[in-house]
Amino acid sequence: MLFNSWIFVAFLVVLLAVVAPMRRYGTPWRVTLLVASYFFYAQWDWRYCFLILGSTIVDYALALGIDAGRHPRRYIVLSVVANLGFLGFFKYANFLLDTAGRVGAAFSLPPFTALDIVLPVGISFFTFQAMSYTIDVYRKELPARRSFLDYALFIAFFPQLLAGPIVRAREFFTQLDNPVRTTFLEARYALVLIALGLVKKMVLADTLALRFDPVWTNAAHASPWEALLAVYAFAFQIYFDFSGYTDVAIGVALLLGFRFPKNFDYPYLALSIQDFWRRWHMTLSRWLRDYLYVALGGNRHGPARTYAALMITMLLGGLWHGASWNFVIWGGLHGAYLALERVLPERWRSPPASRLATALRWLLTFNLVCLAWIFFRSPGLAASGEMLAKVAALPGALPNPGEAARAIAFVAVVLGWQALARRLDLKHAIAARGVAWVACITLALLALAWLTPGKTMPFIYFQF
Amino acid sequence: MLRRALFLLLPLLIVAALEAAYRAGAWEIAAAPKSHAGETIRMKALWAAYPEPIDVVTLGSSRAVYGLDHAALAAEAQRRGVRHASFALAGSHWMSVRGISRWIEAHRPEVRKRWIALSIADFQFAGNGAYELGIVEPLRSWSDAAWIGEHVRFDSHDVATYGVYSSLMQYRGDMADAITHPTSRLRDLAASRRSPLTRLFDGPHDDTNACAVDTSTLERCMAAPETEATRMVRGQCRSAHASRLGERNLLAAGPGGSAHPDLVAARDMIVRELRQPRWRGNTVVILLPTHALWERELTVQGLHGWVEAMLRPLAEEGSIELLDYTQRFDRDGRSDCTAYLDLYHQNHASAALLTRELLDAAGDRLYAFQAAKASGMPPR
């Protein structure tokens, strides 16, 4: 069930109508949300509900074991192995077999047969949530949850089940234990998030996808200017797609009484790569920092260990997105960027003193991010090479003022709008003013009716 | 609480009000003049504004627009003391026939006879796809989604079919174009105001022919070298080939070797329309000349016989007058390229010839009027 489908609209309306008269946060309310969440997931493939249930039971039991105090280390290792086992089998088995086959071919060994595995949608997200929970219990930052119902709801809660935001157990359980009703203003804000999230996805991201997908699938026939435009367009497509999804998820959760953490904070306004990662997929960045980077030593053991930890974190962060060398390179590039930023002298890292310096810093950051997107988006390494070659050929290409103007205008308009929206805190401002709210939601509905390309595209992050 | 709920519903109420405004024709003043809806809007305006009574209407697709000499028909009608106007629109199919007939019943009740000029290829389907919704949109009333849905099935996965229920959605392409290209829309609207459509009593005059391409087989037609002279017909052959019916023997594709259920459903709907009490005895069906390539390679096999079997009983019972000119420009199984301007349409010379022939053969019958079989709006 996609957020951008009629069946989801019907599902949400019915669910809100059903849970509204219930006493919030009571057992029937929780049971209803859990059943609704499993129903939501079953719309994709009901058999994989058992996978979520299995993962839930395992981590619930292991957390209780950790909390009991006897052999906590043994239980946490079991939990990590179980979760990475789930993830590894469904997500990386064929990648590993393929890689092993390639290595084996060098020694004239027969190739491995690929397994017929369907990647369960959302597995990367709910597995990370489960791991964060058991690790937090192990670190004694959180007591193990006694109520299986609460824990099952934490894992399966449908707004964040398929593509995040990756919510921490403490954040979720605190809200379960200390109920705060959704206010009228919050409901208005939630509807702004949902409406604008759908516009981002269905109008902006899908239009960009349909316009530029042919360039990515056939980069060899694209002109250098087209290639550049396609790279910039993808940067915004994935942002609109993923942040649009997140906005809807946060909005839906808020309507149900849950306040989810922010996942995006105008990332393309970042002035450094570190700044970018504080604004892009913030809940994943936070997860990687707290459970991987810190576990690898963080910056506590000197520069060499810090760079190594950064590199490993970003490489694994890349691999988390998918079993492909392209994602590894994407993560590796970001790791290298972050490490290089740390090598730079302090004056290069401090806030820029002039507007020109700010603009140059932004330009460099944005283009470095876009360079990495080439690997993220291309269907394979060869295609990445073709796209890079096209973009690299730009200085020698015939000047194309039309395409150049379009590329600059496109980036300028979107980023100008972003800067304005950030400065005015536009979504909250709209929610707070009655006329603005009505106008915003009405225009969003009309945009969804008139300006969608007519072809529903799946959310990009569902494949992860 | 109620006030808050109403406030949250306000955007939906505004959208519903807009939907009502669009259904009432609010957007017609700004719709793209060259779109399907725009053509209908302009034709509707001509019909609505024409001050004299009209007695006979010609309905049909671009095959009717090009395949008949509308000026000759108007002149012949005038000689007989009646008035004969065209409401033929490119892309029209059975849904448009139904929609225009209903509009005429409501807005020009003096019209006594309708001529439906189509080709046998138009009897394969109940509609011409979702884009035919654009043709009927400006003619719709508030409660006709049910019969429109019989022609274009609503599919929640296909936005193009949302127009079955919603005028806002039907105009979505038009709105997107107006929003993204506002200046060219204004230019088009100004141009269309300067040169309004004058097609009530006339049609296009195109005297080119299709002889630059060998249309004896689809293969040869598609293989024609691309030149300025061949581009149109060659392109039509290629696109017809691409959309060719996957199952050409649909007449024996249903259970027990019966006709395919879709063909049967289309037939039943057409028969129902042709038996409408309001038009019974006052409907002329003209099967326009159809290039031999269609029946030989593109349409359902045996379609001509299927259509005859559908229409003959209606003619015999007096519901319709049937004139079959399907093979009028064929000889030895091949079509005369000098009569066609492309794979679909006759040129003006052959249209004039055909019109003269049909008036000579059946002019008296074609302009004879039966007493209405039922009063008031017929049930649908």
Side-chain angles (χ1 to χ4, degrees):
Chain A
M1 197 189 301
L2 300 173
F3 282 172
N4 51 340
S5 66
W6 287 111
I7 186 170
F8 178 74
V9 175
F11 165 79
L12 183 62
V13 169
V14 170
L15 181 64
L16 288 170
V18 168
V19 298
M22 292 180 177
R23 198 173 144 263
R24 288 224 163 167
Y25 310 97
T27 301
W29 184 79
R30 295 174 200 213
V31 169
T32 306
L33 285 186
L34 184 63
V35 170
S37 297
Y38 271 83
F39 173 79
F40 174 84
Y41 196 76
Q43 297 304 302
W44 171 67
D45 190 331
W46 63 270
R47 291 168 302 176
Y48 288 94
C49 287
F50 294 105
L51 177 72
I52 300 183
L53 185 63
S55 161
T56 305
I57 292 169
V58 167
D59 285 306
Y60 171 75
L62 290 174
L64 287 178
I66 294 167
D67 207 29
R70 277 195 284 174
H71 313 299
R73 198 178 179 84
R74 199 177 293 170
Y75 289 121
I76 189 62
V77 169
L78 263 175
S79 169
V80 170
V81 168
N83 282 300
L84 293 183
F86 279 137
L87 202 55
F89 174 74
F90 284 104
K91 199 159 176 176
Y92 303 107
N94 278 330
F95 175 63
L96 293 174
L97 284 175
D98 179 57
T99 306
R102 283 166 194 258
V103 174
F107 301 99
S108 307
L109 294 173
F112 295 100
T113 311
L115 303 173
D116 185 18
I117 301 171
V118 176
L119 180 67
V121 62
I123 189 170
S124 305
F125 292 89
F126 66 75
T127 307
F128 267 37
Q129 284 207 176
M131 282 170 69
S132 77
Y133 167 68
T134 50
I135 294 171
D136 282 352
V137 173
Y138 175 73
R139 289 175 174 173
K140 298 198 182 302
E141 292 175 4
L142 181 76
R145 197 75 182 178
R146 305 283 147 190
S147 162
F148 179 74
L149 176 61
D150 288 1
Y151 179 69
L153 184 58
F154 163 63
I155 293 296
F157 190 43
F158 73 89
Q160 40 83 17
L161 177 61
L162 302 185
I166 301 171
V167 181
R168 299 276 277 272
R170 184 200 300 277
E171 291 165 339
F172 191 82
F173 293 139
T174 306
Q175 295 185 52
L176 269 186
D177 296 338
N178 305 286
V180 179
R181 275 187 173 276
T182 308
T183 64
F184 182 56
L185 191 62
E186 281 179 323
R188 279 160 53 162
Y189 178 65
L191 290 171
V192 169
L193 284 179
I194 293 171
L196 295 185
L198 288 175
V199 169
K200 275 188 195 174
K201 161 64 185 160
M202 295 171 72
V203 177
L204 300 173
D206 287 358
T207 302
L208 288 172
L210 288 172
R211 165 70 180 81
F212 290 100
D213 275 358
V215 180
W216 287 98
T217 48
N218 204 354
H221 290 93
S223 74
W225 286 104
E226 265 182 329
L228 181 72
L229 205 53
V231 173
Y232 286 159
F234 179 71
F236 289 107
Q237 181 202 334
I238 192 167
Y239 169 68
F240 290 137
D241 191 289
F242 192 20
S243 74
Y245 175 90
T246 305
D247 285 348
V248 178
I250 293 173
V252 169
L254 189 52
L255 286 179
L256 291 166
F258 291 88
R259 286 134 194 95
F260 277 180
K262 204 152 79 164
N263 216 15
F264 290 89
D265 185 19
Y266 305 100
Y268 293 134
L269 300 179
L271 297 181
S272 68
I273 297 297
Q274 192 179 27
D275 189 19
F276 173 78
W277 280 104
R278 286 195 192 113
R279 297 158 177 263
W280 177 271
H281 202 175
M282 294 152 74
T283 56
L284 176 68
S285 305
R286 186 179 67 167
W287 196 101
L288 292 172
R289 182 195 65 204
D290 292 351
Y291 299 107
L292 194 56
Y293 178 69
V294 170
L296 290 168
N299 55 5
R300 300 187 305 272
H301 304 287
R305 278 285 295 273
T306 303
Y307 301 143
L310 266 178
M311 204 65 195
I312 293 169
T313 302
M314 294 314 291
L315 282 172
L316 291 177
L319 200 57
W320 174 86
H321 284 83
S324 132
W325 287 109
N326 276 57
F327 290 122
V328 176
I329 293 174
W330 174 78
L333 270 175
H334 275 281
Y337 294 159
L338 288 168
L340 280 172
E341 274 184 359
R342 284 181 168 266
V343 176
L344 290 172
E346 181 59 35
R347 66 189 173 89
W348 285 77
R349 284 185 278 150
S350 53
S354 67
R355 286 191 175 181
L356 179 65
T358 306
L360 289 174
R361 186 88 75 84
W362 167 80
L363 193 68
L364 181 65
T365 305
F366 179 69
N367 282 289
L368 286 174
V369 170
C370 287
L371 176 70
W373 283 136
I374 291 178
F375 292 93
F376 192 96
R377 171 61 183 86
S378 296
L381 284 177
S384 310
E386 271 177 354
M387 203 65 171
L388 273 176
K390 287 287 177 189
V391 176
L394 208 56
L398 285 174
N400 188 338
E403 291 280 339
R406 280 167 65 192
I408 292 166
F410 174 68
V411 174
V413 166
V414 178
L415 289 178
W417 173 254
Q418 296 252 297
L420 190 70
R422 187 168 188 236
R423 175 169 290 191
L424 300 177
D425 191 9
L426 208 55
K427 288 173 193 163
H428 280 105
I430 288 169
R433 289 172 180 80
V435 175
W437 184 86
V438 171
C440 170
I441 302 290
T442 306
L443 289 175
L445 289 173
L446 292 176
L448 291 172
W450 290 335
L451 300 178
T452 53
K455 188 178 171 195
T456 306
M457 318 275 284
F459 287 96
I460 293 174
Y461 263 69
F462 277 15
Q463 63 185 297
F464 307 141
Chain B
M1 185 67 187
L2 185 65
R3 253 183 77 184
R4 288 183 166 184
L6 276 176
F7 177 83
L8 293 181
L9 287 175
L10 203 50
L12 287 177
L13 295 176
I14 292 173
V15 171
L18 267 176
E19 168 68 30
Y22 272 61
R23 178 57 57 90
W27 183 248
E28 289 178 12
I29 194 167
K34 287 179 184 163
S35 65
H36 285 298
E39 293 276 337
T40 308
I41 290 163
R42 292 202 288 166
M43 194 61 124
K44 183 176 84 166
L46 285 179
W47 268 78
Y50 191 73
E52 305 295 331
I54 295 173
D55 304 282
V56 183
V57 59
T58 300
L59 307 175
S61 62
S62 60
R63 294 187 201 251
V65 172
Y66 284 92
L68 293 171
D69 183 344
H70 299 276
L73 290 175
E76 174 69 16
Q78 196 175 19
R79 196 179 66 76
R80 291 169 182 270
V82 292
R83 198 165 279 108
H84 185 165
S86 169
F87 211 133
L89 290 163
S92 284
H93 204 275
W94 287 101
M95 180 161 70
S96 313
V97 166
R98 208 164 167 178
I100 297 169
S101 297
R102 284 173 66 100
W103 185 85
I104 286 172
E105 287 160 17
H107 295 89
R108 298 300 302 231
E110 79 278 12
V111 176
R112 289 179 286 164
K113 193 150 196 160
R114 61 176 180 175
W115 294 18
I116 300 171
L118 292 166
S119 80
I120 57 166
D122 298 316
F123 287 75
Q124 298 174 104
F125 309 104
N128 207 6
Y131 82 82
E132 201 186 357
L133 289 167
I135 299 174
V136 296
E137 178 59 43
L139 306 168
R140 290 183 67 170
S141 64
W142 296 91
S143 56
D144 50 10
W147 73 258
I148 285 178
E150 289 176 19
H151 293 271
V152 176
R153 277 188 209 134
F154 174 74
D155 174 2
S156 64
H157 298 293
D158 181 2
V159 182
T161 66
Y162 285 21
V164 171
Y165 293 107
S166 162
S167 295
L168 273 183
M169 293 302 286
Q170 178 49 43
Y171 279 115
R172 59 181 247 110
D174 198 278
M175 293 304 304
D177 179 62
I179 291 167
T180 50
H181 303 96
T183 49
S184 59
R185 172 61 56 89
L186 289 173
R187 262 201 312 273
D188 290 350
L189 288 168
S192 83
R193 272 194 294 275
R194 278 196 301 274
S195 56
L197 193 71
T198 50
R199 278 225 317 256
L200 278 189
F201 304 107
D202 202 358
H205 292 230
D206 191 329
D207 278 321
T208 54
N209 66 48
C211 296
V213 180
D214 178 357
T215 50
S216 56
T217 68
L218 195 60
E219 194 81 10
R220 286 186 190 165
C221 175
M222 290 194 299
E226 188 174 359
T227 66
E228 194 57 42
T230 63
R231 185 167 296 130
M232 169 70 88
V233 177
R234 181 178 176 272
Q236 287 173 337
C237 284
R238 284 170 176 248
S239 106
H241 178 260
S243 60
R244 175 158 59 174
L245 291 176
E247 184 72 75
R248 287 196 65 232
N249 60 346
L250 286 176
L251 284 172
S258 60
H260 190 279
D262 286 353
L263 272 180
V264 174
R267 179 195 64 191
D268 294 347
M269 200 177 300
I270 293 166
V271 168
R272 227 174 24 248
E273 178 58 32
L274 294 177
R275 280 195 176 131
Q276 282 299 315
R278 165 66 173 80
W279 299 101
R280 202 160 182 180
N282 287 314
T283 296
V284 177
V285 176
I286 302 168
L287 297 179
L288 289 167
T290 304
H291 198 289
L293 203 56
W294 284 97
E295 202 181 2
R296 207 168 47 237
E297 296 195 50
L298 290 165
T299 59
V300 168
Q301 285 172 334
L303 183 63
H304 197 177
W306 168 260
V307 173
E308 285 215 318
M310 183 190 314
L311 298 180
R312 283 279 167 233
L314 294 170
E316 282 161 14
E317 73 186 25
S319 292
I320 64 166
E321 182 78 39
L322 175 62
L323 295 165
D324 184 354
Y325 289 98
T326 303
Q327 293 168 342
R328 168 61 187 83
F329 297 116
D330 291 358
R331 185 171 294 167
D332 303 327
R334 287 188 171 197
S335 291
D336 174 9
C337 67
T338 63
Y340 287 85
L341 68 92
D342 59 27
L343 202 60
Y344 294 81
H345 310 107
Q346 284 83 61
N347 53 30
H348 187 60
S350 55
L353 178 65
L354 180 80
T355 305
R356 179 50 42 210
E357 279 182 19
L358 76 88
L359 288 174
D360 288 347
D364 290 343
R365 293 203 312 277
L366 295 176
Y367 287 106
F369 300 98
Q370 305 287 321
K373 293 286 195 297
S375 58
M377 283 289 279
R380 294 276 164 177

